Amino acid sequence: MRKFITLASVALAMLALVVGGAPYYASASSHREAPLISSDPQADGTDLYAWVSNDRPDSVTFVADYIPLEESYGGPNYYRFGDDVLYEINIDNNGDAQDEITFQFRFHTQVGNGNTFLYNTGPVRSIDDPNLNVKQFYSVSLLGKGGNNDPARSGTVIADNLPVAPYDVGPKSFPDGYEKVAMQAVRDIGHGIKVFAGPRDDPFFIDLGGTFDLLSGIRGRDDLSGLNVHTIALQVPIAGLKGPNDSVIGVRTTAYRRTMRVTQTSVTPLQATEPVVQVSRLDMPLVNEVVIPLALKDTFNTLKPEQDAQIYTSGTPAGDLLKKSVLDPELARLMHGILGVNVPPPPRNDIFTIFLTGIPQLNQPKTVTPASLLRLNMAIPPSDHPNRLGLLGGDVAGFPNGRRPADDITDISLQVVAGATPFTPGFEANSKLGDGVNGNDVPFKASFPYLAPPHDYTEGK
């Protein structure tokens, strides 16, 4: 799993806040950000992306990554999605912090020959090759609006028995090229919707080790190079996402596991019963790692957007701790105390404005309930000249207006926490802050699913 984050977390961590009058916070799951989820990699969301598709601007692409820090050589039982995990991509299209549209993904694994230890028993030349001994399949369900964002609300299975791209075991196992086989997992499931599920290069880039070495060991090295994740990618026409009065959507990805009731008698076997419980939540990137204190991290992964402001304003010890963490972020104090960076004084209402409700005239819904969601204005077309610093670099099609794989979340977040935005005049000198890692270790693809192929053992770490 992934060692994760950096100073970046802070800024985005603040995303989780409030705006307008009432303070508010946000929580998101990512690489090993909370004690409990760090022990459950199959349910651990690492990154969430949402952007107007580069080569298909009438659609939005969503990418939800899970299973952090995958080593390419991790056989013979290679990484895979959890058969007992319910994965979701959730969309709020009217600003009410409720899911109007939810795509659910359920996986199951099939083993051909149980009398061998091999993942594949010979060369694999297609996704349905009988030599591929361990195969995963999945279904996609579409759910409409439901009370309390309930994952058990009624829905419709819109695609079933879709193949998951296999793991990249190595060049001997894929003699015609791994990507030729993997791209057979890209499926058009009707109504202009495309899906893909399978291993990809981890698109996040950061000097992880140097960041956590008291913020002062930065070497400009991408510590996530050569590592993989498991990706769920979804491409949906804008017409099917747009709310009745708005082009702004809020996005999050979640993972659920069943609650367990165990009974053991002479005649009753062990039993698992519904309902499912949310164990992972990811929306704005890099939030839960740094801003949220250890005492609250596990709780945050269980919360739904409409609960955010309730906790923040509750007046309980947890709410007070959260409020202090947001208004006077520890990361900003560390940047000042350890690195000598001059940062704006608390309370940090600038961060509230930028990240909580969305920015007016950019990605703020016409009516909005403050909540931690990755907000995207689908009416803004892709940039002809994308800038890795997104909005801070003058590119309105980039983060925090959605998030593209090439957006440099670490540098953006560092600069926001340090006050290098139009909302805090006088801190422009901090616009040069960064971790020295300005892009991914391998190029992204030009078409869906956009993320680069996974590393195999010959090129991974």
Side-chain angles (χ1 to χ4, degrees), residues 54-79:
N54 318 45
D55 58 335
R56 190 184 164 197
D58 64 343
S59 72
V60 170
T61 296
F62 305 94
V63 169
D65 290 337
Y66 284 85
I67 314 179
L69 301 175
E70 292 184 6
E71 297 283 5
S72 56
Y73 46 78
N77 297 298
Y78 291 96
Y79 302 94

Side-chain angles (χ1 to χ4, degrees), residues 280-334:
S280 175
R281 170 186 172 185
L282 178 57
D283 31 68
M284 288 301 260
L286 312 183
V287 172
N288 207 0
E289 289 78 9
V290 175
V291 160
I292 304 305
L294 280 168
L296 300 178
K297 287 180 179 293
D298 290 328
T299 298
F300 286 179
N301 268 338
T302 70
L303 296 177
K304 297 178 173 62
E306 70 270 20
Q307 296 175 293
D308 292 350
Q310 297 172 15
I311 300 291
Y312 191 94
T313 60
S314 64
T316 63
D320 292 343
L321 177 58
L322 176 59
K323 185 179 298 186
K324 182 180 186 300
S325 300
V326 166
L327 294 176
D328 185 12
E330 181 183 12
L331 180 55
R333 287 185 274 114
L334 291 173

